[in-house]
């Protein structure tokens, strides 16, 4: 069976899931937290990972050297713009970004160096 990084890679490349995708030109993994919980972790048949818990999945990411990326948004001074940005940011906060220098879409051979800590 495949190791965690290989499963994650295969999943990203499959195009079967709307809850997880390549971001930053293939340098980051983007995950829509709520959708991922239902679409991937909630699967009873054909489980991708051996867990149904977001915490366990996140622990696996961390164990393989992924770090959570934080997004910084520039905020407008005018109230209507600020409020519309606020809606966008709150929708965006459902999206988690993870980075690992050995996990890059343009360099699949680096996947071999993606080892468990």
């Amino acid at each position: 069976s495949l190791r965690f990084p290989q499963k994650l890679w295969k999943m990203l490349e499959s195009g079967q899931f709307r809850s997880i995708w390549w971001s930053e030109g293939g340098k980051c993994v983007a995950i829509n937290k709520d959708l991922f919980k239902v679409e991937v972790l909630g699967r009873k048949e054909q489980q991708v990972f051996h867990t149904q818990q977001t915490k366990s999945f996140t622990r696996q990411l961390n164990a393989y050297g992924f770090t959570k990326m934080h997004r910084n948004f520039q905020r407008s001074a005018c109230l209507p713009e600020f409020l519309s940005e606020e809606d966008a940011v709150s929708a965006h906060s459902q999206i988690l970004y993870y980075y690992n220098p050995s996990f890059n879409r343009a360099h699949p051979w680096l996947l071999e160096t993606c080892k468990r800590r």
Side-chain angles (χ1 to χ4, degrees), residues 4 53-63 66 96 98:
F4 179 82
Q53 303 296 315
T54 306
K55 241 181 196 172
S56 300
F57 177 77
T58 304
R59 245 185 258 122
Q60 284 283 353
L61 285 169
N62 293 330
F66 285 83
L96 306 173
Y98 288 93

Side-chain angles (χ1 to χ4, degrees), residues 12-112:
L12 287 160
E13 289 295 308
S14 76
Q16 289 181 313
F17 302 93
R18 292 179 310 129
S19 60
I20 185 167
W21 62 93
W22 288 106
S23 174
E24 309 298 317
K27 292 184 176 114
C28 285
V29 176
I31 302 168
N32 179 312
K33 197 168 55 177
D34 291 342
L35 188 56
F36 187 78
K37 238 185 263 187
V38 174
E39 185 183 48
V40 178
L41 300 178
R43 285 178 149 212
K44 302 287 183 235
E45 307 289 318
Q46 295 180 317
Q47 277 188 318
V48 181
F49 302 103
H50 298 293
T51 185
Q52 292 180 320
Q53 303 296 315
T54 306
K55 241 181 196 172
S56 300
F57 177 77
T58 304
R59 245 185 258 122
Q60 284 283 353
L61 285 169
N62 293 330
Y64 280 94
F66 285 83
T67 54
K68 191 173 180 181
M69 306 291 288
H70 296 282
R71 297 303 215 189
N72 295 325
F73 290 94
Q74 299 298 321
R75 297 302 180 90
S76 298
C78 97
L79 186 61
E81 280 181 37
F82 179 83
L83 292 173
S84 70
E85 286 171 9
E86 197 62 30
D87 290 341
V89 168
S90 94
H92 212 272
S93 71
Q94 287 301 316
I95 300 172
L96 306 173
Y97 295 90
Y98 288 93
Y99 170 76
N100 181 327
S102 299
F103 200 85
N104 185 316
R105 189 177 197 181
H107 308 293
W109 58 88
L110 287 176
L111 196 54
E112 289 307 310

